[in-house]
């Protein structure tokens, strides 16, 4: 019985891939967010989007962008916390991982819906957003069920 228990605990098996996702998430954010936001805030687009009287102006742009920056910043901090929780094998890791990745999917959909309300002529999901949504959905659809039912997860994250 003891051998069986040791066989299904620890950072082995599929949890190695979960660990790569945990490590990759904040690294991905470090490379994508600065470029994305610098392009937005350093360009004439920001002025056009947030100055009344300009053709691209809408009162929702500024709060939408700042809300997105705040959520992405919070998700980045949570993704760093997940690294600690994963390697320390803390009990809270599986649920926080699930919350982060389900939130990622929901935020992508909500953001797209709000942008579509602002710009009704634009598609609900452009290529970039659609790709991001598919990526987020795949991560959630694969790893959320695994974290919920895996005996290895249950026996590993016990601290």
């Amino acid at each position: 019985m003891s051998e069986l228990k040791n066989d299904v605990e620890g950072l082995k098996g599929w949890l190695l891939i979960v660990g790569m996702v945990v490590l990759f998430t904040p690294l991905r954010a470090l490379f994508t967010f600065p470029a994305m936001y610098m392009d937005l805030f350093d360009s004439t687009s920001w002025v056009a989007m947030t100055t009344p009287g300009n053709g691209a102006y809408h009162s929702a742009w500024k709060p939408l962008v700042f809300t997105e920056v705040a959520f992405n910043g919070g998700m980045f901090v949570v993704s760093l916390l997940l690294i600690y929780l994963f390697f320390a094998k803390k009990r809270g890791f599986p649920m926080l991982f699930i919350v982060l990745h389900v939130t990622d999917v929901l935020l992508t959909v909500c953001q797209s819906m709000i942008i579509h309300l602002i710009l009704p002529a634009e598609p609900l999901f452009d290529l970039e957003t659609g790709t991001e949504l598919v990526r987020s959905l795949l991560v959630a659809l694969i790893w959320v069920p695994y974290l919920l039912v895996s005996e290895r997860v249950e026996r590993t994250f016990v601290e």
Side-chain angles (χ1 to χ4, degrees):
M1 180 70 172
S2 178
E3 279 184 44
L4 177 62
K5 182 182 176 202
N6 290 336
D7 244 9
V8 292
E9 70 181 33
L11 302 177
K12 305 180 229 173
W14 292 108
L15 277 180
L16 292 174
I17 298 173
V18 172
M20 286 188 276
V21 170
V22 167
L23 290 171
F24 179 71
T25 299
L27 288 174
R28 186 176 164 276
L30 281 176
F31 287 104
T32 58
F33 293 160
M36 178 173 61
Y37 293 129
M38 285 174 49
D39 286 347
L40 176 63
F41 292 121
D42 286 345
S43 68
T44 56
S45 298
W46 179 250
V47 172
M49 291 166 51
T50 58
T51 304
N54 282 325
Y57 173 77
H58 194 285
S59 60
W61 280 128
K62 198 179 281 187
L64 175 64
V65 170
F66 287 130
T67 301
E68 179 186 346
V69 170
F71 272 112
N72 283 335
M75 289 178 70
F76 177 75
V77 170
V78 170
S79 70
L80 293 176
L81 176 60
L82 277 174
I83 294 171
Y84 164 73
L85 294 175
F86 180 80
F87 288 105
K89 301 177 188 170
K90 296 293 185 182
R91 187 180 320 271
F93 170 79
M95 194 51 62
L96 191 57
F97 182 96
I98 290 167
V99 167
L100 178 75
H101 289 283
V102 169
T103 301
D104 190 26
V105 171
L106 294 175
L107 286 177
T108 301
V109 171
C110 288
Q111 178 188 8
S112 293
M113 291 171 67
I114 293 168
I115 290 172
H116 187 65
L117 289 173
I118 295 169
L119 303 170
E122 295 296 317
L124 182 58
F125 298 108
D126 60 15
L127 180 61
E128 183 180 336
T129 306
T131 302
E132 180 62 24
L133 181 59
V134 168
R135 185 203 61 78
S136 299
L137 272 171
L138 285 174
V139 169
L141 289 173
I142 292 169
W143 297 115
V144 167
Y146 172 73
L147 290 172
L148 289 172
V149 302
S150 169
E151 190 175 341
R152 179 177 301 281
V153 169
E154 185 179 329
R155 290 187 182 200
T156 298
F157 298 102
V158 294
E159 297 297 321

